[in-house]
Amino acid sequence: MKPIKGHILFCDGSDCKKKGNKKARKHMKKALKEAKQPFVRCSTTKCLGAYKQAPIMVVYPDGTWYSNATSKRDIQAIVEQHIVDDKPLEKNVLYQIPARK
């Protein structure tokens, strides 16, 4: 198995499906490829339970939860700012898991 830098989980619950998670995942895979970030994986997961904020994606290992990021512009910004520069895109952050000490 190749080493990975990060893992992006896309909620596959019904509300997220209705609000564009499939389109967001497609945009993300393309943006990661264009940004030459082959060590970041994208996967779907069962419902994450944040129905009102759908669609949801979570970026690991830092545990940043994003909501309503489906446009190419938002996804591109997440890749450029968060994945490449390691600074979460505040505009769409729903929750940030606190760093362990």
Side-chain angles (χ1 to χ4, degrees):
M1 179 177 165
K2 294 179 184 178
I4 62 171
K5 175 185 174 185
H7 200 158
I8 304 169
L9 303 176
F10 288 82
C11 179
D12 203 28
S14 60
D15 288 325
C16 288
K17 282 182 182 179
K18 289 176 193 172
K19 293 187 177 181
N21 74 329
K22 188 174 183 178
K23 178 176 72 172
R25 186 169 176 245
K26 182 180 174 183
H27 292 323
M28 181 62 76
K29 285 181 147 189
K30 184 177 180 184
L32 289 168
K33 187 175 182 177
E34 290 172 354
K36 295 179 174 48
Q37 295 295 313
F39 300 111
V40 178
R41 300 286 183 255
C42 294
S43 301
T44 56
T45 185
K46 292 187 179 198
C47 183
L48 293 169
Y51 312 105
K52 291 181 181 180
Q53 291 83 18
I56 299 293
M57 76 174 90
V58 185
V59 178
Y60 282 103
D62 54 323
T64 302
W65 288 54
Y66 285 102
S67 67
N68 298 310
T70 57
S71 72
K72 285 183 184 180
R73 180 180 293 151
D74 286 343
I75 297 297
Q76 188 68 38
I78 290 170
V79 169
E80 290 173 4
Q81 189 172 319
H82 189 153
I83 304 302
V84 175
D85 293 338
D86 204 28
K87 299 173 190 165
L89 181 67
E90 294 298 323
K91 172 186 167 197
N92 296 95
V93 171
L94 175 64
Y95 180 74
Q96 175 71 53
I97 294 174
R100 291 184 178 206
K101 294 181 181 182

XYZ file of all heavy atoms in Angstrom:
804
model
N 0.839 -1.180 0.000
C 0.000 0.000 0.000
C 0.883 1.242 0.000
O 1.846 1.326 0.753
C -0.914 -0.025 1.215
C -1.809 1.159 1.325
S -2.909 0.949 2.752
C -3.493 2.585 2.911
N 0.518 2.209 -0.816
C 1.251 3.468 -0.857
C 0.893 4.314 0.368
O -0.239 4.266 0.851
C 0.893 4.245 -2.118
C 1.336 3.573 -3.387
C 0.923 4.398 -4.587
C 1.285 3.688 -5.867
N 0.859 4.433 -7.049
N 1.845 5.102 0.873
C 1.535 5.976 2.012
C 0.535 7.055 1.585
O 0.512 7.461 0.423
C 2.886 6.593 2.357
C 3.682 6.499 1.113
C 3.200 5.272 0.388
N -0.284 7.491 2.518
C -1.227 8.567 2.209
C -0.994 9.749 3.134
O -0.577 9.594 4.277
C -2.695 8.115 2.272
C -3.090 7.647 3.668
C -2.982 7.052 1.241
C -4.575 7.409 3.819
N -1.255 10.945 2.608
C -1.116 12.183 3.360
C -2.426 12.530 4.064
O -2.440 13.116 5.131
C -0.737 13.313 2.404
C -0.673 14.671 3.039
C -0.405 15.751 2.013
C -0.489 17.121 2.648
N -0.349 18.181 1.662
N -3.532 12.189 3.434
C -4.829 12.531 3.986
C -5.918 11.662 3.405
O -5.719 10.940 2.434
N -7.087 11.736 4.026
C -8.238 10.966 3.590
C -9.460 11.866 3.708
O -9.681 12.465 4.761
C -8.394 9.734 4.477
C -9.205 8.661 3.855
N -9.113 7.361 4.257
C -10.120 8.673 2.852
C -9.936 6.617 3.533
N -10.560 7.400 2.685
N -10.211 11.968 2.642
C -11.412 12.795 2.635
C -12.616 11.876 2.540
O -12.749 11.100 1.596
C -11.396 13.792 1.462
C -10.129 14.647 1.534
C -12.654 14.660 1.491
C -9.870 15.483 0.307
N -13.464 11.942 3.559
C -14.661 11.109 3.623
C -15.875 11.938 3.212
O -16.109 13.013 3.764
C -14.860 10.573 5.035
C -13.714 9.764 5.619
C -14.026 9.389 7.060
C -13.443 8.531 4.784
N -16.637 11.421 2.273
C -17.855 12.074 1.807
C -19.045 11.296 2.348
O -19.169 10.094 2.101
C -17.909 12.107 0.280
C -16.944 13.066 -0.333
C -15.620 12.709 -0.523
C -17.346 14.336 -0.696
C -14.712 13.598 -1.082
C -16.459 15.236 -1.243
C -15.141 14.861 -1.443
N -19.912 11.976 3.088
C -21.106 11.346 3.633
C -21.975 10.857 2.476
O -22.187 11.567 1.493
C -21.882 12.351 4.484
S -23.407 11.665 5.173
N -22.491 9.637 2.621
C -23.327 9.048 1.585
C -24.760 8.864 2.072
O -25.503 8.028 1.560
C -22.717 7.707 1.146
C -23.158 7.304 -0.241
O -23.452 8.195 -1.060
O -23.209 6.081 -0.520
N -25.140 9.641 3.082
C -26.510 9.590 3.577
C -27.469 10.229 2.580
O -27.059 10.950 1.666
N -28.752 9.979 2.748
C -29.746 10.443 1.768
C -29.776 11.963 1.613
O -29.900 12.468 0.494
C -31.134 9.914 2.117
O -31.535 10.362 3.399
N -29.653 12.713 2.701
C -29.666 14.181 2.591
C -28.441 14.676 1.830
O -28.529 15.599 1.025
C -29.733 14.844 3.969
C -31.098 14.689 4.607
O -32.097 14.712 3.871
O -31.162 14.532 5.838
N -27.299 14.082 2.083
C -26.073 14.489 1.380
C -26.153 14.123 -0.100
O -25.694 14.882 -0.951
C -24.853 13.871 2.038
S -24.470 14.613 3.650
N -26.743 12.974 -0.396
C -26.920 12.587 -1.798
C -27.794 13.609 -2.523
O -27.484 14.023 -3.637
C -27.562 11.203 -1.900
C -26.616 10.067 -1.646
C -27.350 8.750 -1.811
C -26.447 7.579 -1.520
N -27.159 6.296 -1.656
N -28.886 14.004 -1.869
C -29.808 14.965 -2.481
C -29.143 16.320 -2.729
O -29.504 17.028 -3.653
C -31.032 15.180 -1.577
C -31.968 14.020 -1.511
C -33.082 14.317 -0.522
C -33.863 13.065 -0.184
N -34.823 13.286 0.911
N -28.181 16.681 -1.879
C -27.577 18.007 -1.962
C -26.221 18.039 -2.661
O -25.506 19.022 -2.572
C -27.496 18.617 -0.563
C -28.877 18.904 0.001
C -28.800 19.653 1.293
C -30.192 19.981 1.797
N -30.133 20.736 3.041
N -25.860 16.952 -3.352
C -24.712 17.025 -4.239
C -23.398 16.425 -3.811
O -22.358 16.790 -4.340
N -23.407 15.462 -2.871
C -22.122 14.903 -2.435
C -21.402 14.150 -3.556
O -20.177 14.160 -3.623
C -22.278 14.015 -1.208
C -22.907 12.666 -1.520
O -23.720 12.549 -2.432
N -22.548 11.663 -0.754
N -22.146 13.541 -4.453
C -21.516 12.800 -5.554
C -20.768 13.763 -6.476
O -19.637 13.505 -6.894
C -22.578 12.016 -6.326
C -22.007 11.069 -7.345
C -23.096 10.215 -7.961
C -22.508 9.221 -8.937
N -23.540 8.351 -9.507
N -21.400 14.905 -6.759
C -20.769 15.936 -7.597
C -19.534 16.500 -6.889
O -18.483 16.689 -7.518
C -21.781 17.051 -7.884
C -21.231 18.190 -8.704
C -22.312 19.205 -9.043
C -22.696 19.982 -7.811
N -23.597 21.119 -8.085
N -19.634 16.731 -5.596
C -18.499 17.265 -4.832
C -17.326 16.292 -4.843
O -16.175 16.702 -5.011
C -18.920 17.559 -3.391
N -17.607 15.019 -4.688
C -16.540 14.002 -4.706
C -15.857 13.966 -6.073
O -14.631 13.869 -6.166
C -17.113 12.639 -4.341
C -16.048 11.573 -4.191
C -16.654 10.311 -3.565
N -15.650 9.275 -3.510
C -15.717 8.140 -4.199
N -16.752 7.887 -4.967
N -14.764 7.255 -4.099
N -16.640 14.060 -7.116
C -16.085 14.084 -8.472
C -15.174 15.297 -8.654
O -14.060 15.184 -9.172
C -17.220 14.106 -9.489
C -16.777 14.090 -10.915
C -17.976 14.110 -11.858
C -17.533 14.243 -13.298
N -18.684 14.325 -14.202
N -15.646 16.473 -8.219
C -14.828 17.695 -8.296
C -13.542 17.539 -7.483
O -12.473 17.977 -7.906
C -15.590 18.911 -7.780
C -16.742 19.349 -8.608
N -16.762 19.310 -9.978
C -17.938 19.879 -8.240
C -17.915 19.776 -10.418
N -18.649 20.129 -9.383
N -13.648 16.926 -6.302
C -12.492 16.763 -5.427
C -11.436 15.872 -6.070
O -10.251 16.201 -6.056
C -12.921 16.183 -4.072
C -11.777 15.999 -3.089
S -10.948 17.538 -2.617
C -12.155 18.220 -1.483
N -11.858 14.754 -6.620
C -10.892 13.846 -7.253
C -10.154 14.548 -8.388
O -8.931 14.419 -8.516
C -11.608 12.596 -7.763
C -11.993 11.641 -6.673
C -12.672 10.426 -7.263
C -12.346 9.224 -6.437
N -12.786 7.988 -7.068
N -10.885 15.322 -9.172
C -10.270 16.056 -10.289
C -9.315 17.124 -9.766
O -8.193 17.269 -10.258
C -11.347 16.683 -11.163
C -10.792 17.363 -12.389
C -11.894 17.905 -13.280
C -11.268 18.588 -14.493
N -12.271 19.203 -15.337
N -9.741 17.871 -8.757
C -8.906 18.943 -8.196
C -7.636 18.378 -7.561
O -6.558 18.971 -7.689
C -9.698 19.755 -7.172
N -7.729 17.234 -6.887
C -6.549 16.604 -6.290
C -5.559 16.165 -7.365
O -4.352 16.345 -7.220
C -6.952 15.400 -5.432
C -7.664 15.727 -4.123
C -8.261 14.459 -3.520
C -6.728 16.407 -3.140
N -6.093 15.632 -8.436
C -5.234 15.200 -9.536
C -4.523 16.396 -10.164
O -3.319 16.364 -10.407
C -6.060 14.460 -10.585
C -5.245 13.835 -11.683
C -6.114 13.013 -12.615
C -5.258 12.348 -13.673
N -6.054 11.489 -14.560
N -5.277 17.474 -10.415
C -4.701 18.681 -11.012
C -3.660 19.329 -10.104
O -2.693 19.918 -10.571
C -5.801 19.683 -11.356
C -6.667 19.235 -12.518
C -7.878 20.132 -12.744
O -8.141 21.050 -11.931
O -8.583 19.889 -13.744
N -3.859 19.207 -8.782
C -2.928 19.790 -7.812
C -1.762 18.844 -7.499
O -0.956 19.145 -6.627
C -3.663 20.152 -6.527
N -1.723 17.733 -8.200
C -0.662 16.740 -8.002
C -0.578 16.288 -6.537
O 0.480 16.327 -5.912
C 0.669 17.270 -8.502
C 0.677 17.505 -10.011
C 1.998 18.041 -10.483
C 2.123 18.165 -11.972
N 1.114 18.777 -12.746
N -1.737 15.880 -6.027
C -1.849 15.381 -4.656
C -2.286 13.915 -4.681
O -3.374 13.558 -4.229
C -2.865 16.226 -3.871
C -2.470 17.659 -3.668
C -1.237 17.795 -2.806
O -1.114 17.175 -1.755
N -0.289 18.591 -3.261
N -1.430 13.024 -5.202
C -1.832 11.622 -5.346
C -1.918 10.857 -4.033
O -2.437 9.745 -4.006
C -0.729 11.039 -6.235
C 0.475 11.840 -5.886
C -0.048 13.242 -5.645
N -1.419 11.431 -2.959
C -1.421 10.714 -1.693
C -2.573 11.112 -0.778
O -2.522 10.924 0.426
C -0.078 10.887 -0.982
C 1.067 10.372 -1.809
C 1.984 11.241 -2.349
C 1.184 9.023 -2.091
C 3.026 10.782 -3.135
C 2.212 8.543 -2.879
C 3.134 9.421 -3.412
N -3.624 11.690 -1.373
C -4.852 12.000 -0.644
C -5.948 11.140 -1.254
O -6.131 11.131 -2.467
C -5.219 13.497 -0.745
C -6.527 13.772 -0.029
C -4.098 14.360 -0.172
N -6.639 10.391 -0.419
C -7.685 9.493 -0.884
C -9.069 10.075 -0.625
O -9.266 10.797 0.351
C -7.593 8.146 -0.167
C -6.286 7.431 -0.367
C -6.209 6.854 -1.775
N -4.983 6.097 -1.937
C -3.932 6.525 -2.627
N -3.958 7.697 -3.198
N -2.862 5.780 -2.726
N -10.016 9.727 -1.485
C -11.418 10.105 -1.321
C -12.238 8.835 -1.190
O -12.064 7.905 -1.974
C -11.920 10.881 -2.530
S -11.168 12.470 -2.762
N -13.133 8.818 -0.202
C -14.009 7.667 0.012
C -15.382 8.157 0.434
O -15.526 9.275 0.928
C -13.467 6.768 1.129
O -12.179 6.308 0.833
N -16.371 7.289 0.277
C -17.689 7.586 0.821
C -17.847 6.802 2.114
O -17.198 5.778 2.337
C -18.817 7.199 -0.162
O -18.696 5.823 -0.499
C -18.761 8.054 -1.413
N -18.697 7.317 2.968
C -18.965 6.663 4.239
C -20.461 6.732 4.516
O -21.172 7.543 3.913
C -18.165 7.331 5.379
O -18.367 6.580 6.584
C -18.579 8.771 5.601
N -20.927 5.909 5.404
C -22.343 5.966 5.778
C -22.642 7.321 6.400
O -21.745 8.098 6.688
C -22.682 4.829 6.735
C -22.615 3.482 6.056
C -23.113 2.385 6.954
C -23.039 1.078 6.181
N -23.849 0.062 6.777
N -23.894 7.572 6.632
C -24.349 8.864 7.127
C -23.548 9.331 8.347
O -23.323 8.579 9.289
C -25.821 8.779 7.488
S -26.498 10.350 8.024
N -23.126 10.596 8.291
C -22.376 11.200 9.386
C -23.284 11.937 10.376
O -22.826 12.450 11.377
C -21.309 12.150 8.832
C -20.187 11.444 8.065
C -19.329 12.462 7.314
C -19.329 10.619 8.991
N -24.573 12.012 10.078
C -25.553 12.527 11.028
C -25.744 14.027 11.091
O -26.427 14.517 11.965
N -25.176 14.766 10.178
C -25.324 16.237 10.191
C -26.307 16.656 9.090
O -25.967 17.374 8.167
C -23.975 16.902 10.000
N -27.539 16.187 9.203
C -28.543 16.349 8.159
C -28.763 17.785 7.708
O -28.826 18.064 6.519
C -29.894 15.785 8.622
C -29.810 14.419 9.226
C -29.917 14.231 10.597
C -29.607 13.302 8.420
C -29.833 12.960 11.150
C -29.514 12.028 8.972
C -29.638 11.868 10.325
O -29.542 10.628 10.866
N -28.884 18.687 8.652
C -29.198 20.085 8.325
C -28.046 20.801 7.625
O -28.255 21.809 6.972
C -29.604 20.852 9.581
C -30.928 20.395 10.130
C -31.320 21.183 11.357
C -32.646 20.666 11.892
N -33.074 21.375 13.077
N -26.841 20.293 7.763
C -25.672 20.918 7.143
C -25.219 20.188 5.881
O -24.162 20.477 5.340
C -24.505 20.984 8.137
C -24.718 21.936 9.271
C -25.527 21.331 10.410
O -25.672 20.126 10.533
N -26.088 22.183 11.255
N -26.014 19.262 5.409
C -25.652 18.451 4.235
C -25.383 19.325 3.015
O -25.974 20.394 2.882
C -26.769 17.466 3.928
N -24.470 18.879 2.184
C -23.637 17.691 2.243
C -22.392 17.908 3.099
O -21.912 19.021 3.234
C -23.254 17.444 0.779
C -23.231 18.796 0.172
C -24.307 19.572 0.893
N -21.898 16.822 3.653
C -20.771 16.849 4.586
C -19.583 16.088 4.011
O -19.745 15.035 3.411
C -21.169 16.185 5.931
C -22.330 16.925 6.587
C -19.979 16.066 6.883
C -22.016 18.318 7.054
N -18.394 16.633 4.238
C -17.150 15.902 3.976
C -16.225 16.163 5.155
O -16.290 17.223 5.786
C -16.504 16.319 2.654
C -15.790 17.639 2.682
S -14.901 18.000 1.170
C -16.175 18.845 0.264
N -15.387 15.180 5.449
C -14.454 15.297 6.563
C -13.044 15.034 6.044
O -12.819 14.044 5.367
C -14.771 14.302 7.703
C -13.844 14.533 8.889
C -16.226 14.408 8.129
N -12.127 15.941 6.364
C -10.738 15.806 5.948
C -9.918 15.307 7.137
O -9.915 15.929 8.193
C -10.170 17.158 5.441
C -8.709 17.018 5.049
C -10.995 17.680 4.265
N -9.274 14.165 6.925
C -8.395 13.595 7.943
C -6.968 13.602 7.429
O -6.761 13.572 6.231
C -8.817 12.147 8.273
C -10.009 12.095 9.181
C -11.263 11.801 8.681
C -9.878 12.356 10.536
C -12.374 11.776 9.514
C -10.984 12.332 11.368
C -12.224 12.039 10.849
O -13.301 12.017 11.682
N -5.974 13.709 8.293
C -6.001 13.311 9.689
C -6.418 14.404 10.669
O -6.578 14.127 11.851
C -4.548 12.904 9.961
C -3.743 13.767 9.075
C -4.584 13.932 7.838
N -6.618 15.638 10.232
C -6.898 16.707 11.201
C -8.354 16.800 11.634
O -8.661 17.511 12.577
C -6.395 18.062 10.694
C -6.930 18.425 9.329
O -7.073 17.529 8.489
O -7.203 19.605 9.097
N -9.278 16.096 10.987
C -10.661 16.065 11.445
C -11.436 17.338 11.205
O -12.185 17.785 12.060
N -11.287 17.931 10.040
C -12.044 19.126 9.689
C -13.302 18.717 8.946
O -13.233 18.049 7.920
C -11.206 20.069 8.797
O -10.009 20.407 9.489
C -11.978 21.340 8.471
N -14.455 19.109 9.489
C -15.745 18.821 8.876
C -16.167 20.026 8.042
O -16.213 21.151 8.551
C -16.802 18.574 9.945
C -16.662 17.279 10.681
C -15.555 16.819 11.330
C -17.671 16.290 10.848
N -15.817 15.600 11.893
C -17.106 15.251 11.615
C -18.989 16.194 10.434
C -17.829 14.117 11.967
C -19.706 15.066 10.786
C -19.128 14.038 11.542
N -16.473 19.768 6.784
C -16.947 20.818 5.878
C -18.410 20.575 5.531
O -18.838 19.434 5.368
C -16.142 20.812 4.569
C -14.765 21.379 4.689
C -13.654 20.554 4.766
C -14.553 22.758 4.703
C -12.375 21.068 4.857
C -13.275 23.290 4.802
C -12.191 22.438 4.873
O -10.930 22.960 4.964
N -19.152 21.664 5.383
C -20.545 21.553 4.941
C -20.766 22.463 3.735
O -20.060 23.456 3.549
C -21.511 21.939 6.063
O -21.414 23.308 6.364
N -21.734 22.084 2.936
C -22.161 22.880 1.777
C -21.024 23.252 0.826
O -21.034 24.339 0.255
C -22.891 24.141 2.237
C -24.140 23.807 3.017
O -24.954 23.014 2.581
N -24.275 24.389 4.192
N -20.066 22.385 0.657
C -18.970 22.642 -0.280
C -19.151 21.710 -1.474
O -18.658 20.583 -1.461
C -17.621 22.409 0.389
N -19.888 22.171 -2.461
C -20.141 21.325 -3.633
C -19.670 21.960 -4.932
O -19.447 21.262 -5.902
C -21.640 20.996 -3.777
O -22.374 22.208 -3.853
C -22.133 20.142 -2.627
N -19.509 23.268 -4.947
C -19.124 23.929 -6.195
C -17.658 23.651 -6.516
O -16.847 23.375 -5.629
C -19.345 25.441 -6.093
O -18.374 26.024 -5.245
N -17.330 23.750 -7.790
C -15.932 23.576 -8.198
C -15.048 24.578 -7.478
O -13.942 24.253 -7.066
C -15.800 23.760 -9.714
C -16.303 22.612 -10.513
C -16.065 22.869 -11.996
C -16.652 21.752 -12.834
N -16.437 21.966 -14.273
N -15.535 25.791 -7.317
C -14.765 26.858 -6.657
C -14.456 26.497 -5.202
O -13.326 26.645 -4.747
C -15.523 28.174 -6.731
C -14.764 29.328 -6.066
C -15.512 30.632 -6.135
N -15.581 31.061 -7.520
C -16.560 31.792 -8.037
N -17.555 32.177 -7.278
N -16.551 32.151 -9.298
N -15.461 26.038 -4.467
C -15.248 25.657 -3.063
C -14.291 24.475 -2.942
O -13.386 24.476 -2.104
C -16.567 25.300 -2.382
C -17.432 26.506 -2.070
O -16.910 27.640 -2.071
O -18.633 26.312 -1.825
N -14.485 23.482 -3.780
C -13.626 22.295 -3.736
C -12.191 22.667 -4.087
O -11.243 22.246 -3.416
C -14.157 21.188 -4.674
C -15.545 20.705 -4.228
C -13.160 20.039 -4.771
C -15.619 20.062 -2.871
N -12.023 23.477 -5.115
C -10.685 23.916 -5.520
C -10.011 24.686 -4.382
O -8.836 24.497 -4.097
C -10.767 24.796 -6.775
C -9.421 25.131 -7.366
C -8.722 23.921 -7.956
O -9.355 23.058 -8.555
N -7.427 23.838 -7.780
N -10.774 25.529 -3.706
C -10.234 26.300 -2.582
C -9.824 25.378 -1.431
O -8.789 25.597 -0.795
C -11.252 27.335 -2.112
N -10.613 24.347 -1.152
C -10.263 23.399 -0.100
C -8.962 22.683 -0.449
O -8.081 22.525 0.401
C -11.409 22.395 0.154
C -12.583 23.119 0.818
C -10.935 21.219 1.015
C -13.859 22.309 0.901
N -8.817 22.269 -1.690
C -7.583 21.589 -2.099
C -6.394 22.536 -1.982
O -5.383 22.203 -1.364
C -7.702 21.023 -3.533
C -6.346 20.566 -4.053
C -8.701 19.880 -3.563
N -6.516 23.722 -2.556
C -5.386 24.662 -2.559
C -5.021 25.142 -1.164
O -3.849 25.203 -0.807
C -5.706 25.862 -3.457
C -5.742 25.508 -4.927
C -6.231 26.642 -5.806
O -6.484 27.761 -5.301
O -6.375 26.404 -7.018
N -6.035 25.492 -0.385
C -5.766 26.090 0.917
C -5.552 25.036 2.005
O -4.635 25.148 2.808
C -6.920 27.014 1.298
C -6.642 27.838 2.534
C -7.722 28.875 2.766
O -8.197 29.497 1.834
N -8.112 29.039 4.011
N -6.385 24.016 2.044
C -6.310 23.043 3.135
C -5.338 21.902 2.823
O -4.419 21.646 3.603
C -7.699 22.460 3.416
C -7.754 21.620 4.644
N -8.894 21.454 5.365
C -6.819 20.878 5.278
C -8.651 20.659 6.398
N -7.391 20.293 6.357
N -5.548 21.238 1.702
C -4.713 20.072 1.394
C -3.274 20.478 1.088
O -2.332 19.896 1.614
C -5.310 19.269 0.219
C -6.754 18.836 0.495
C -4.413 18.070 -0.116
C -6.959 18.001 1.725
N -3.092 21.486 0.259
C -1.746 21.899 -0.138
C -1.082 22.765 0.932
O 0.046 22.515 1.342
C -1.762 22.625 -1.507
C -0.383 23.158 -1.859
C -2.268 21.674 -2.598
N -1.792 23.814 1.420
C -1.199 24.770 2.365
C -1.501 24.479 3.838
O -1.067 25.222 4.715
C -1.655 26.188 2.028
C -1.098 26.672 0.706
O -0.071 26.134 0.250
O -1.700 27.594 0.117
N -2.291 23.438 4.124
C -2.599 23.007 5.490
C -3.314 24.075 6.328
O -3.062 24.213 7.522
C -1.322 22.531 6.183
C -1.613 21.570 7.322
O -2.643 20.879 7.262
O -0.819 21.523 8.275
N -4.195 24.848 5.682
C -5.000 25.861 6.380
C -6.459 25.640 6.002
O -6.857 25.938 4.875
C -4.580 27.268 5.960
C -3.147 27.596 6.273
C -2.774 28.934 5.685
C -1.275 29.141 5.783
N -0.810 30.226 4.945
N -7.285 25.127 6.908
C -8.681 24.861 6.572
C -9.393 26.096 5.998
O -9.117 27.225 6.387
C -9.299 24.447 7.903
C -8.150 23.870 8.660
C -6.961 24.721 8.269
N -10.298 25.855 5.070
C -11.083 26.906 4.439
C -12.218 27.286 5.383
O -13.239 26.605 5.452
C -11.633 26.421 3.092
C -12.445 27.418 2.298
C -11.569 28.571 1.825
C -13.103 26.726 1.110
N -12.028 28.342 6.138
C -12.972 28.735 7.196
C -14.407 28.896 6.699
O -15.349 28.589 7.427
C -12.510 30.035 7.862
C -11.203 29.905 8.622
C -11.271 28.926 9.780
O -12.311 28.847 10.460
O -10.264 28.220 9.991
N -14.577 29.345 5.482
C -15.912 29.601 4.924
C -16.848 28.407 5.076
O -18.023 28.577 5.365
C -15.773 29.979 3.447
C -17.059 30.081 2.703
C -16.822 30.307 1.226
C -18.107 30.075 0.480
N -17.914 29.876 -0.933
N -16.361 27.213 4.874
C -17.205 26.028 4.887
C -16.975 25.095 6.073
O -17.550 24.017 6.121
C -17.021 25.237 3.589
C -17.475 25.996 2.379
O -16.664 26.640 1.714
N -18.752 25.961 2.101
N -16.134 25.488 7.028
C -15.859 24.606 8.168
C -17.082 24.544 9.079
O -17.594 25.559 9.532
C -14.617 25.071 8.966
C -14.478 24.279 10.264
C -13.364 24.918 8.126
N -17.528 23.328 9.312
C -18.631 23.084 10.240
C -18.082 22.810 11.639
O -18.593 23.307 12.628
C -19.457 21.893 9.749
C -20.580 21.412 10.651
C -21.645 22.500 10.794
C -21.195 20.142 10.106
N -17.006 22.040 11.687
C -16.432 21.650 12.980
C -14.977 21.253 12.770
O -14.622 20.693 11.737
C -17.204 20.465 13.568
C -16.693 19.994 14.892
C -16.919 20.728 16.047
C -15.969 18.811 14.996
C -16.424 20.304 17.278
C -15.487 18.372 16.215
C -15.719 19.111 17.359
O -15.232 18.703 18.554
N -14.156 21.563 13.740
C -12.741 21.175 13.712
C -12.447 20.389 14.971
O -12.619 20.904 16.087
C -11.847 22.422 13.656
C -10.364 22.143 13.744
C -9.825 21.485 12.484
O -10.033 21.992 11.407
N -9.146 20.376 12.639
N -12.039 19.139 14.821
C -11.682 18.328 15.992
C -10.452 18.945 16.631
O -9.459 19.224 15.938
C -11.425 16.861 15.589
C -12.730 16.237 15.086
C -10.854 16.068 16.761
C -12.574 14.840 14.528
N -10.488 19.231 17.935
C -9.332 19.850 18.596
C -8.094 18.970 18.509
O -8.169 17.740 18.578
C -9.788 19.987 20.049
C -11.273 19.875 20.032
C -11.603 19.008 18.851
N -6.942 19.594 18.370
C -5.665 18.881 18.300
C -5.369 18.234 19.649
O -5.647 18.820 20.701
C -4.547 19.825 17.911
N -4.789 17.042 19.611
C -4.394 16.362 20.861
C -3.083 16.928 21.346
O -2.241 17.305 20.562
C -4.233 14.873 20.613
C -5.527 14.200 20.342
C -5.285 12.730 20.205
N -6.555 12.055 19.990
C -6.778 10.817 20.314
N -5.814 10.085 20.835
N -7.932 10.271 20.099
N -2.955 16.942 22.653
C -1.719 17.464 23.256
C -0.828 16.326 23.668
O -1.167 15.263 23.895
C -2.044 18.348 24.446
C -2.759 19.593 24.017
C -3.046 20.455 25.224
C -3.806 21.706 24.771
N -4.080 22.593 25.846
